[in-house]
Amino acid sequence: MKADFWFDPSCPYTWLTSRWLLEVAKVRPVEIHWHVMSLSVLNEGREDDPENDPEGYLWVPARIAALVRHRFGGEALGRLYTELWRGSGDDQDWLGDFRRALSAAGLPADLAEAGQSDAHDDLVRASHAEGISLLGEHIGTPICAVTGAAKERIVFFGPVISRLPTGEQAGRLWDGTLLVAGTPHFHELKGRAHEEPRLS
């Protein structure tokens, strides 16, 4: 089973969802394919600033990630994503040093410079558009599109979690998510109010 996962690399809740997906892959036959989406692109043209990013910093990790996927593929993007958040804790919901993360992922450290330029924004926009087109602009990050053995397609936003389920608990959440999201004409399901994510 193939799972295409679109993520904004700066979102701590999305980070937890991505780690859940890796847990799922240990207990279910799931192959993860990593893609970039961007909250900066999603929120362009809005009068408010839902991400509180007046300087446009959220473009930086998205640009680097999109360029890595373009040049080195999805598996390399997955490695970079892991390294970006390595060492983050509950008192720090931000990304680490980009050059360190690139080097640790076996990628050229000078790709960090791409974050300061709009030269590759077309890559960010194209990947974002591919993911967001599956559900629409009423949602955010992450988006997961699952393709089963019969080529059926199940697409969903989230799930948004604040603690990481592991083992069979992760697998059961996967099973339930596919069941709900795969129901024809299903639109939305919500849980309790958000709590701060536990990143480690």
Side-chain angles (χ1 to χ4, degrees):
M1 180 176 289
K2 177 183 176 183
D4 289 291
F5 187 77
W6 281 265
F7 64 94
D8 183 306
S10 64
C11 175
Y13 289 103
T14 296
W15 164 253
L16 280 172
T17 304
S18 75
R19 300 308 94 177
W20 162 71
L21 200 54
L22 290 173
E23 287 291 318
V24 169
K26 297 175 183 177
V27 295
R28 298 293 186 270
V30 175
E31 180 182 300
I32 306 166
H33 294 254
W34 305 97
H35 307 269
V36 178
M37 66 178 296
S38 169
L39 291 168
S40 297
V41 174
L42 184 68
N43 295 321
E44 276 184 321
R46 292 182 55 153
E47 292 184 5
D48 60 341
D49 182 7
E51 306 306 325
N52 191 26
D53 185 35
E55 304 300 320
Y57 183 73
L58 297 184
W59 276 103
V60 175
R63 287 166 172 161
I64 296 168
L67 186 58
V68 164
R69 191 181 199 294
H70 176 70
R71 290 191 181 171
F72 299 97
E75 193 274 332
L77 174 57
R79 295 197 316 267
L80 173 63
Y81 191 28
T82 293
E83 294 300 335
L84 281 174
W85 283 87
R86 188 176 300 283
S88 62
D90 293 335
D91 60 341
Q92 171 190 337
D93 65 349
W94 199 237
L95 303 171
D97 174 75
F98 298 116
R99 294 183 69 86
R100 181 210 58 79
L102 285 159
S103 293
L107 298 163
D110 61 4
L111 290 177
E113 297 170 12
Q116 304 299 327
S117 166
D118 63 4
H120 303 289
D121 284 4
D122 58 330
L123 298 175
V124 178
R125 293 180 188 281
S127 183
H128 175 88
E130 182 184 12
I132 209 76
S133 70
L134 300 173
L135 287 176
E137 297 196 11
H138 64 288
I139 49 83
T141 177
I143 295 169
C144 190
V146 180
T147 304
K151 304 302 181 189
E152 74 278 16
R153 190 93 156 161
I154 299 174
V155 185
F156 54 90
F157 159 74
V160 178
I161 54 176
S162 57
R163 302 293 184 273
L164 178 62
T166 59
E168 190 55 27
Q169 185 183 35
R172 289 195 303 270
L173 177 57
W174 174 256
D175 297 340
T177 300
L178 294 187
L179 176 64
V180 171
T183 300
H185 312 296
F186 169 77
H187 296 287
E188 188 171 4
L189 177 68
K190 287 192 174 184
R192 293 183 291 272
H194 285 195
E195 60 183 5
E196 289 299 311
R198 181 178 295 169
L199 302 175
S200 59

